[in-house]
Amino acid sequence: VHATLGVDDVAGVAAAVRVYPNPTSGTLRIDAPVGVKLTLVDMTGRILVKDEEASTLHLEHYAAGVYLLRVTDLQGTLLRQEQVLKK
């Protein structure tokens, strides 16, 4: 059973989410104090990856460029949205 986070809780959890290394040449790591869903989108808006309860994304097979990573909690609340540079 997952508890629902209040607004203050979401802000605290969002502040604790780390995405690194950025820029990356391959594996992107995501540290979060709760389970998260990851969505990687290219600059045209096409969804490339959707992953649940993941802590890494493997970008080796994607072209160099800028991507958008959305990190949400398991209920879909946005915790972090960050541009990722793939070298």
Side-chain angles (χ1 to χ4, degrees):
V1 174
H2 292 286
T4 302
L5 298 176
V7 172
D8 291 338
D9 298 325
V10 169
V13 169
V17 174
R18 290 185 53 225
V19 176
Y20 64 95
N22 189 8
T24 184
S25 57
T27 301
L28 193 62
R29 300 194 186 291
I30 298 87
D31 288 345
V34 297
V36 294
K37 294 180 184 178
L38 307 175
T39 306
L40 186 70
V41 180
D42 69 14
M43 288 293 106
T44 68
R46 187 170 53 115
I47 294 173
L48 303 174
V49 176
K50 283 188 105 158
D51 206 349
E52 190 167 314
E53 298 208 47
S55 59
T56 57
L57 273 180
H58 298 282
L59 305 179
E60 294 89 348
H61 54 282
Y62 291 106
V66 178
Y67 298 87
L68 184 65
L69 177 66
R70 290 188 194 115
V71 181
T72 65
D73 67 16
L74 297 179
Q75 289 74 40
T77 302
L78 184 65
L79 299 175
R80 179 177 295 273
Q81 184 165 283
E82 185 167 321
Q83 286 187 343
V84 174
L85 179 60
K86 163 64 167 65
K87 297 190 266 186

